[in-house]
Amino acid sequence: MSQQGVTQTVSDVISSLEAVGYLPDRALATSVHLAICLGRPLLLEGDPGVGKTELAKALALMTGRHLIRLQCYDGLEQRDALYEWNHAAQLIHLRAAQALRTPEEIEREVYQPHYLIKRPLLQALHTPVPGAVLLIDEVDRADEPFEAFLLEYLGEYQVTIPELGTIKAETPPLTILTSNRTRDLNDAVKRRCLYHWVQYPDRDRELAIVRQQVPNISEKLSEQITEFIQRLRHPPFQDAFSRAPGIAESVEWAKALVALNTLSLDPEVIEGTAGVLFKQRDDVAALTPLLTDLLATG
Ligand SMILES: Nc1ncnc2c1ncn2[C@@H]1O[C@H](COP(=O)(O)OP(=O)(O)O)[C@@H](O)[C@H]1O
Ligand SMILES: [Mg+2]
C-alpha cells in the first residue's frame, strides 16, 4: 500500500489504522494525517501505556514502511544513534595497505561509507522508497546534549559526518518521537515537530480495544473491566493512586481474567489480579478499601 493511497483524509487515516489493529481517536488521526502531509516529525507525549509506541508500529504496517526504532536511555550517544566507524575493519585495511600506499591515501580509503556502521538514524536516511517509519522512543530518557544533536536531523532529515560531508534522506522517514514526560523537552526540538498529547481512551474506544485484542472475552466481562478502569482514572478514585493503569494494563488484565475463567468482577478476583493493574505496592494496597465503591452500580 502506498503512503499516498491510504491517507487522503483524516477518515482514511482512521480506517487504515483500524485495519492494522490500532484504534485512534480523531484528534490523534488528524495529527498523523498532518505529519504525513507536511512531512514533519510528530512528537507524542502522554502517560505510559496510552499507545504512543504502538502507533509507530501501526504506521509502519499501514504504510508498508520499514520500522526503525531508536530506544532512548540515559547516556545514549551519537555513536549509538547515528553511526560509528568500524575500527577493526579499518585496522585490517591499514595493515594490508601499509607497505603499498602513503598514509594520506590510506586515511582516505578507511574513511569511506564501506567502513561505517550505520545506527538507526542513519539507516532511516538510507531506507529506499517507500522509506522508513523512524521511532525515536522515550526521548525524555536521553539527555539534553542528545536532544540538541537531533535538531539538524529533525529539521532537514540530514546529518553531517565530518569525514564524509552532509548526508540527506533519499526518502524522508515518517518520524515519531515519544515522551512519557518525565521531564520537559527542549523547545527547539518541539518547534521542529508537530505535537500531540495522547489521551487515555474514552469508555467506548477502550472497550473496542479490549475486545479486539482479547477476542474470546465475554461482552459482560469486557464491559465491567472497562468501566472499572475508567473509574480508576477519574475522580474521586484517581487521586488514591500514583499512576493510573494504561491501555496496556486493561488488555493484560482482560487476558488474565479470561485465563482465570472469570465470569464477572468481584473483590476477590480483583485483589488476586491487582498486580496486573498496578506495579507499586502502595497502589495495590490503596485499591482494597475502594473496591466496594469502585464496583457499585449506577
Ligand atoms: N489505540 C490503540 N489501539 C489498539 N491497541 C492499543 C491502542 N493504544 C494502546 N494499545 C495497546 O496498549 C499497549 C501499550 O501501548 P504502548 O504503545 O506500549 O504505550 P506507550 O508507548 O504510550 O507507553 C499496546 O501494546 C497495545 O496493545
Ligand atoms: Mg512506549
Side-chain angles (χ1 to χ4, degrees), residues 6-286:
V6 286
T7 55
Q8 279 137 11
T9 66
V10 174
S11 300
D12 289 336
V13 173
I14 294 177
S15 51
S16 306
L17 282 171
E18 284 178 352
V20 294
Y22 190 92
L23 280 52
D25 62 23
R26 196 161 186 93
L28 177 59
T30 305
S31 298
V32 167
H33 182 53
L34 287 177
I36 294 173
C37 293
L38 305 179
R40 294 273 298 280
L42 175 60
L43 168 61
L44 301 175
E45 278 194 331
D47 289 342
V50 292
K52 302 181 297 297
T53 302
E54 192 71 15
L55 175 73
K57 296 182 191 168
L59 278 176
L61 285 174
M62 171 183 127
T63 56
R65 287 171 175 241
H66 183 57
L67 178 70
I68 297 179
R69 179 172 182 169
L70 175 65
Q71 173 63 55
C72 299
Y73 52 86
D74 190 14
L76 174 65
E77 292 193 28
Q78 266 199 47
R79 66 164 182 271
D80 308 307
L82 187 58
Y83 73 90
E84 77 183 301
W85 289 106
N86 185 342
H87 294 306
Q90 285 176 318
L91 206 65
I92 291 168
H93 181 94
L94 187 138
R95 292 254 164 79
Q98 232 160 12
L100 307 166
R101 294 197 269 284
T102 67
E104 292 74 25
E105 282 171 332
I106 298 174
E107 192 175 324
R108 266 198 305 279
E109 285 164 10
V110 292
Y111 287 111
Q112 292 298 318
H114 177 66
Y115 292 107
L116 212 52
I117 302 173
K118 294 179 190 170
R119 302 298 185 202
L121 296 180
L122 194 55
Q123 288 167 12
L125 295 185
H126 280 146
T127 305
V129 178
V133 168
L134 172 64
L135 168 61
I136 305 179
D137 212 13
E138 303 186 348
V139 68
D140 52 327
R141 287 176 182 243
D143 47 26
E144 287 176 30
F146 182 78
E147 266 183 82
F149 147 76
L150 280 178
L151 294 179
E152 180 188 7
Y153 192 93
L154 296 175
E156 0 269 294
Y157 298 114
Q158 70 177 35
V159 293
T160 305
I161 298 180
E163 299 86 354
L164 296 178
T166 299
I167 298 180
K168 200 167 170 64
E170 292 151 25
T171 310
L174 177 50
T175 306
I176 305 290
L177 294 91
T178 80
S179 163
N180 290 332
R181 216 166 187 295
T182 55
R183 65 177 178 84
D184 233 343
L185 297 183
N186 183 324
D187 267 347
V189 165
K190 287 188 171 173
R191 273 201 307 279
R192 282 163 178 77
C193 300
L194 301 174
Y195 176 83
H196 185 82
W197 174 262
V198 185
Q199 306 262 18
Y200 287 110
D202 63 18
R203 193 176 268 100
D204 288 348
R205 197 161 66 89
E206 185 150 37
L207 184 59
I209 293 171
V210 167
R211 286 184 176 163
Q212 182 216 44
Q213 307 233 358
V214 193
N216 55 344
I217 195 164
S218 73
E219 269 186 34
K220 179 177 162 200
L221 184 61
S222 57
E223 264 162 25
Q224 287 185 334
I225 288 173
T226 337
E227 177 66 28
F228 188 87
I229 296 216
Q230 291 277 335
R231 286 188 185 187
L232 283 178
R233 291 196 199 118
H234 291 97
F237 302 108
Q238 144 204 62
D239 294 339
F241 306 102
S242 64
R243 165 167 119 63
I247 306 176
E249 283 79 12
S250 309
V251 171
E252 279 303 302
W253 200 35
K255 287 182 184 164
L257 294 171
V258 168
L260 294 171
N261 296 317
T262 307
L263 297 176
S264 136
L265 286 185
D266 61 48
E268 197 185 332
V269 77
I270 298 173
E271 280 188 73
T273 53
V276 181
L277 291 176
F278 293 108
K279 312 292 154 136
Q280 299 280 347
R281 188 180 169 190
D282 289 349
D283 288 341
V284 174

